[in-house]
Amino acid sequence: MQISTIVSPFMTAVFLTLVPGVFGAPMSGRAREIAAVETRLAKLQNIAMSFHMDVNFASTPVLLAAMRRMAKLAEKHYPGGVPGPPFMGNYRFHCLFSFLAGRSWYQQVAVGLTRKAVTWVGAPEVTQSRMPGRVEVLSDSKLGEIYVRSGPLLDFMSCTSAIGLRPASFRHWLWIKRRQIVDMAYVRISGNRFALTQKTTAGGFAKYYRWIFRSKPVLEIVGLDVYHQPDVRHLYMRVTFSKFRMVGGLALPGRIKDTFLGGSRLPVPTRTELLTHIRYTLHAVSNIPRSYFIVWPKGCTVIDERTGSRFQIKSPTILSDKEIFRRLKRRDAVKAH
């Protein structure tokens, strides 16, 4: 009994020393900061945002010369083709975004032009919703589509990468999972800054996303670099975040600036996106799976590419799979008579 009394506290002390983070034992800086990033991601699984976005397409002499070269190459490889006009100048949008454990909903509305010479190309209002096995898109309140697609449909990289939900890319768009964070390369930058680098591949095409964090006084994502080489050469995108404020225990940016560059052959800014007037809501009661179905407006035509069916919307409605099956069944019954 005396041996047991002496050994037990000793073994307990050894156990607590060898296993960091257990029963109050100290964690290493790396383990502590990775755990904080995982906790932050877990809290972001139910979030909604609204913001203003100003998009500026550069028109420097270097960039215009590169565009002319690209137009000549396109004409050479695709004879007879007519290239569309390049995007130039400024565009302004009001945007809404919501996310729920892998479901996403995004709306982008053109609200004005900051330069009169610019003509907006495309639908001035687009809404998209992504649910498991299903994507919905509504363009300008007139045309709706339902189909399955693996990649993103709209450029809503800015808001989702800024809060750390996914990489900033069309090719590598998948949502970040908590288990992926520990596999990212960790680098200590300074006393209260560190970086996690995420390497993604798709079709043999590698890309690196270097997330930069500030750990004190609270955890913040302060930057994101996107590049193709592991030594951070030839940046393709640089994002900076500022004006943080606390929302539901998280420090979230009130200002986001994305700068897109042309890569190794054209290392100059080609486009910038500035997000301001950002408002966040965490764990809203209204953010539920059913809210991710688009309510198709009256007069809209919806094409379900999965079944080859077309629906004329006579009153605002949701087209769930159950509702589509009901309508097709009723349509078949009418044809049978």
Side-chain angles (χ1 to χ4, degrees):
M1 293 296 293
Q2 291 179 348
I3 293 176
S4 174
T5 303
I6 295 173
V7 172
S8 180
F10 173 76
M11 293 303 296
T12 301
V14 170
F15 176 75
L16 291 176
T17 301
L18 295 177
V19 183
V22 179
F23 301 113
M27 300 174 68
S28 69
R30 178 183 184 277
R32 181 172 57 252
E33 288 167 344
I34 287 177
V37 174
E38 290 176 333
T39 300
R40 180 185 183 281
L41 180 62
K43 291 181 178 180
L44 288 171
Q45 296 305 298
N46 183 329
I47 187 170
M49 298 172 59
S50 66
F51 54 92
H52 293 175
M53 180 170 67
D54 285 282
V55 181
N56 179 37
F57 291 90
S59 58
T60 62
V62 174
L63 184 60
L64 292 175
M67 286 182 175
R68 286 192 290 268
R69 290 195 299 270
M70 292 173 62
K72 289 181 179 179
L73 286 174
E75 185 178 354
K76 178 180 178 181
H77 292 289
Y78 303 98
V82 180
F87 283 108
M88 296 177 64
N90 276 78
Y91 301 89
R92 180 171 295 173
F93 305 92
H94 178 66
C95 306
L96 299 173
F97 170 75
S98 60
F99 180 81
L100 181 65
R103 290 176 169 84
S104 65
W105 188 92
Y106 180 76
Q107 185 178 69
Q108 181 173 291
V109 181
V111 295
L113 302 173
T114 56
R115 295 180 183 174
K116 294 181 180 179
V118 176
T119 301
W120 169 245
V121 179
E125 179 177 339
V126 181
T127 304
Q128 80 159 67
S129 178
R130 180 182 303 281
M131 294 168 278
R134 178 190 181 102
V135 171
E136 297 183 347
V137 180
L138 174 62
S139 300
D140 203 19
S141 301
K142 297 177 181 179
L143 177 63
E145 297 175 274
I146 304 175
Y147 49 90
V148 178
R149 180 181 288 187
S150 60
L153 303 172
L154 286 175
D155 187 350
F156 65 113
M157 299 186 295
S158 301
C159 61
T160 53
S161 59
I163 57 180
L165 286 174
R166 74 178 185 93
S169 172
F170 281 109
R171 187 184 292 266
H172 308 95
W173 70 272
L174 296 175
W175 308 111
I176 295 174
K177 306 294 184 183
R178 289 185 64 183
R179 63 179 178 271
Q180 295 173 317
I181 295 175
V182 72
D183 294 328
M184 296 182 187
Y186 171 91
V187 174
R188 166 66 57 186
I189 299 176
S190 64
N192 66 345
R193 291 195 178 209
F194 65 96
L196 293 175
T197 300
Q198 177 188 14
K199 179 183 179 181
T200 59
T201 58
F205 183 78
K207 219 169 190 180
Y208 297 82
Y209 304 90
R210 187 173 184 254
W211 307 85
I212 303 169
F213 294 86
R214 181 165 51 213
S215 58
K216 294 179 181 180
V218 294
L219 184 67
E220 301 168 345
I221 296 182
V222 295
L224 171 62
D225 292 338
V226 182
Y227 50 95
H228 287 318
Q229 301 294 330
D231 57 357
V232 201
R233 289 186 303 168
H234 307 317
L235 282 174
Y236 281 77
M237 181 179 179
R238 170 158 282 173
V239 191
T240 57
F241 314 122
S242 57
K243 295 186 178 180
F244 291 88
R245 62 179 182 273
M246 298 302 296
V247 181
L250 294 176
L252 299 175
R255 187 178 188 273
I256 302 165
K257 184 177 181 180
D258 298 352
T259 302
F260 297 83
L261 300 100
S264 58
R265 296 185 179 181
L266 190 64
V268 296
T270 59
R271 181 173 99 249
T272 60
E273 295 178 356
L274 180 63
L275 278 61
T276 57
H277 300 85
I278 307 174
R279 295 186 177 183
Y280 300 94
T281 303
L282 289 177
H283 303 288
V285 177
S286 58
N287 193 16
I288 58 176
R290 185 171 176 81
S291 66
Y292 286 78
F293 287 100
I294 292 178
V295 180
W296 306 107
K298 180 181 179 181
C300 173
T301 300
V302 180
I303 301 171
D304 183 5
E305 296 187 356
R306 304 168 305 167
T307 62
S309 304
R310 182 186 296 263
F311 302 97
Q312 298 296 329
I313 306 302
K314 298 180 180 180
S315 62
T317 187
I318 287 173
L319 289 177
S320 64
D321 287 346
K322 183 177 180 180
E323 173 63 15
I324 290 175
F325 177 77
R326 187 187 69 81
R327 292 189 177 213
L328 292 177
K329 187 177 180 179
R330 184 176 62 187
R331 185 179 297 176
D332 290 341
V334 172
K335 289 181 179 180
H337 290 82

